[in-house]
Amino acid sequence: MADNTIRENLGNLSENARISQEAFQDIGSTIREIKKTTGDTSDLFRNLTREISRGYKDSEKLAEAVERVKNGTASTKTLQRQAGDQIARANTLADKADQLQQKAANSTGILKVNLLKAAMAAGDAAREAEILAKGFADAAAFNEKLNEKTQFFDKLGKITSIIPGLGKLSGTFKEASAAIRQAALNGESLIESLRQGFIVIIKAVAIEFVRQLFVVNDEITKLQRNLNTSRFEAIGIK
């Protein structure tokens, strides 16, 4: 696992998110069935159902967050906050499991069986929330690692975007950052990743240089025609 590229590790996070989503879906079905069988409409079951539903939705959010980490639009702070939210949910679900066990201890027969089953399901949901917490925390760590590699070009992109006349360069630096990020995702070294970024910039500069040659040549031709002079003299004037 330690030798995996960041892309592979992020792929594992996406798979874990999918598995957690399926788990929350199954747990939710179990709790709803027990609630229906027992006829329990207490806050305990209602709150438990809500937390499980949120866990299901947050599993999908983790998969979406992984894609944002890949394309450079994720926020490390947001991912860290989401990790904290999952820890809080895990604690809440564990508390619900304890309450159900206590309720089962004071019950008998089929009701006791159902309450113990619900307690086990709540415990499983708590463990899935812990998995999600680790997933969001890992995604935050990978995002920060990638951001460190692209921060130089990211800053240049922001600076040039607000300087009159340099707006075109802003897009080039963004493309360079994207190239660096993709190289880093694939496990390339820092030097190789930066090389990919500079390749983008060099190509952009070369294209702009050639474009300017055509612009200048066109202007010289117009001067030559308008002033009825030789090309050499037109070049001098230009």
Side-chain angles (χ1 to χ4, degrees):
M1 292 297 293
D3 295 327
N4 283 1
T5 64
I6 295 179
R7 185 185 298 279
E8 290 170 334
N9 284 323
L10 289 172
N12 291 335
L13 290 185
S14 293
E15 178 63 14
N16 290 342
R18 183 190 65 78
I19 293 173
S20 287
Q21 189 171 44
E22 291 179 354
F24 275 116
Q25 186 174 34
D26 292 341
I27 293 169
S29 297
T30 298
I31 294 298
R32 285 191 295 272
E33 184 61 31
I34 293 173
K35 183 179 178 181
K36 181 179 178 181
T37 300
T38 60
D40 194 322
T41 58
S42 65
D43 288 343
L44 175 57
F45 268 93
R46 186 162 51 251
N47 293 338
L48 178 58
T49 301
R50 184 179 65 247
E51 292 299 328
I52 291 171
S53 177
R54 288 175 176 172
Y56 176 87
K57 293 178 181 178
D58 285 347
S59 299
E60 186 174 1
K61 287 182 180 180
L62 175 57
E64 293 171 352
V66 167
E67 294 307 310
R68 288 197 297 274
V69 169
K70 289 180 181 178
N71 62 37
T73 60
S75 165
T76 299
K77 288 184 178 180
T78 298
L79 291 170
Q80 291 171 337
R81 177 181 56 75
Q82 289 174 311
D85 290 343
Q86 296 308 313
I87 292 174
R89 175 161 298 121
N91 291 334
T92 297
L93 288 166
D95 182 61
K96 301 298 181 188
D98 290 340
Q99 291 180 46
L100 286 165
Q101 286 183 333
Q102 293 172 12
K103 199 170 182 178
N106 298 320
S107 304
T108 58
I110 190 65
L111 178 58
K112 182 182 183 73
V113 172
N114 281 321
L115 288 173
L116 287 174
K117 187 177 180 181
M120 185 177 296
D124 290 341
R127 284 185 285 276
E128 290 300 329
E130 290 175 350
I131 292 173
L132 287 183
K134 185 178 185 305
F136 279 112
D138 287 346
F142 289 133
N143 190 58
E144 195 61 20
K145 188 172 183 179
L146 290 170
N147 286 346
E148 289 175 357
K149 295 178 182 295
T150 64
Q151 60 182 343
F152 175 72
F153 291 104
D154 289 337
K155 289 179 180 179
L156 285 178
K158 290 179 180 178
I159 291 173
T160 54
S161 67
I162 61 176
I163 297 177
L166 296 182
K168 291 182 180 180
L169 287 177
S170 176
T172 299
F173 287 126
K174 287 180 180 179
E175 290 177 12
S177 289
I180 293 171
R181 200 173 193 86
Q182 290 305 310
L185 280 168
N186 292 326
E188 299 290 353
S189 66
L190 176 59
I191 292 177
E192 176 58 26
S193 297
L194 290 175
R195 190 177 77 85
Q196 294 300 321
F198 279 111
I199 286 175
V200 171
I201 293 175
I202 290 171
K203 285 182 178 179
V205 170
I207 291 173
E208 180 62 17
F209 177 73
V210 172
R211 191 186 72 81
Q212 289 298 329
L213 284 179
F214 280 105
V215 170
V216 171
N217 181 69
D218 185 57
E219 290 177 350
I220 290 173
T221 300
K222 288 179 180 178
L223 279 174
Q224 182 182 0
R225 185 182 302 116
N226 293 336
L227 298 178
N228 192 26
T229 185
S230 69
R231 186 169 182 80
F232 181 78
E233 290 174 323
I235 292 174
I237 295 172
K238 176 61 180 176

